[in-house]
Amino acid sequence: MPEAGQNAPSPGAKPKIRVLLVDDHQVVRRGLRTFLEVQDDIEVVGEAGDGAEGVAQAESLRPDVVLMDIKMPGTDGIEALRKLHELANPAKVLIVTSFTEQRTVVPALRAGASGYVYKDVDPDALAGAIRSVHAGHVLLQPEVAGALLSQDDPLGGQGRNTSLTDREREVLALIADGRSNREIARALVLSEKTVKTHVSNILMKLDLADRTQAALWAVRNGLTD
């Protein structure tokens, strides 16, 4: 049921993507809210000025996607990311920041970010990024992926692929292509449940934490075109 004061969606209407804004600059949050509120399929459900407040808001509001800055006073974005992933129903987290250094990018992805864009991103591209991570895709700007791939061991993992089955390699290549489980299931004519099992097995075999790490591992090890 919708909360008091909220309008119930019309019958058959697709639920909006619920977004929480976490940034210590009020003017940034205001700008993001102003743009996102004109999107038909996106709803800003709350704001927070630091990581600790963001985690508390996420636990209370249960957003689908959190737009998170990294550098904030008190609990920063990296620590907030770790805490968000401990929640019962963790949201997808899209990092929106002005920092581009590898020492900033890598910890964010290790902590479980689903995507990473810069604050000067085109507004329409930002809306697309929100939709993409909500759908389960991995989203990295090209230079961010390049920075990660230039490292010897960007996100951990054992660098093994001999234990993957042919099907798991197919699934992994599609993860690297940004496909959601549903899209992978359609492409390989499998059930979503089977795809989820393959994804879990891939992460376990390669000692990786999430799809972002799996996607980058696939690129590093030549599983993509």
Side-chain angles (χ1 to χ4, degrees):
M1 291 181 64
E3 296 176 4
Q6 291 184 332
N7 293 324
S10 58
K14 188 175 181 179
K16 291 188 176 184
I17 302 172
R18 293 164 51 82
V19 173
L20 172 65
L21 308 177
V22 184
D23 194 294
D24 60 321
H25 293 98
Q26 185 177 6
V27 67
V28 172
R29 299 199 308 270
R30 184 181 299 125
L32 290 171
R33 177 182 281 275
T34 298
F35 168 70
L36 294 176
E37 284 183 338
V38 304
Q39 303 298 310
D40 292 337
D41 59 339
I42 296 174
E43 176 186 11
V44 177
V45 297
E47 299 181 19
D50 59 51
E53 183 184 2
V55 173
Q57 290 269 33
E59 188 169 19
S60 172
L61 298 171
R62 293 196 171 192
D64 300 307
V65 177
V66 177
L67 299 191
M68 177 88 74
D69 193 9
I70 291 182
K71 298 295 185 181
M72 294 181 288
T75 301
D76 66 11
I78 304 300
E79 183 61 26
L81 267 163
R82 297 189 182 106
K83 292 181 178 179
L84 283 172
H85 275 267
E86 295 174 358
L87 299 180
N89 295 287
K92 305 289 186 183
V93 178
L94 177 63
I95 294 294
V96 184
T97 185
S98 56
F99 291 89
T100 62
E101 299 93 339
Q102 292 184 27
R103 59 189 175 85
T104 303
V105 175
V106 175
L109 295 173
R110 283 186 186 277
S114 298
Y116 195 110
V117 297
Y118 300 131
K119 286 185 177 177
D120 61 357
V121 65
D122 178 84
D124 289 331
L126 177 60
I130 292 170
R131 297 181 186 110
S132 183
V133 299
H134 178 251
H137 296 180
V138 174
L139 183 73
L140 297 175
Q141 292 198 357
E143 59 270 33
V144 174
L148 287 164
L149 294 175
S150 69
Q151 299 190 12
D152 292 334
D153 184 21
L155 294 174
Q158 300 301 312
R160 300 187 300 264
N161 66 2
T162 55
S163 63
L164 295 181
T165 66
D166 289 342
R167 178 64 84 188
E168 287 166 351
R169 291 168 66 86
E170 289 177 327
V171 170
L172 182 53
L174 290 172
I175 290 174
D177 194 41
R179 306 289 188 91
S180 65
N181 284 353
R182 179 173 297 180
E183 290 169 332
I184 294 173
R186 289 174 181 166
L188 299 180
V189 194
L190 301 170
S191 69
E192 282 191 63
K193 183 177 180 180
T194 298
V195 171
K196 288 179 181 178
T197 299
H198 284 313
V199 172
S200 295
N201 289 340
I202 290 166
L203 297 180
M204 178 184 67
K205 287 181 177 181
L206 299 180
D207 190 24
L208 300 171
D210 54 37
R211 297 171 73 94
T212 302
Q213 294 187 9
L216 290 165
W217 190 97
V219 174
R220 280 188 62 87
N221 288 275
L223 268 67
T224 58
D225 295 330

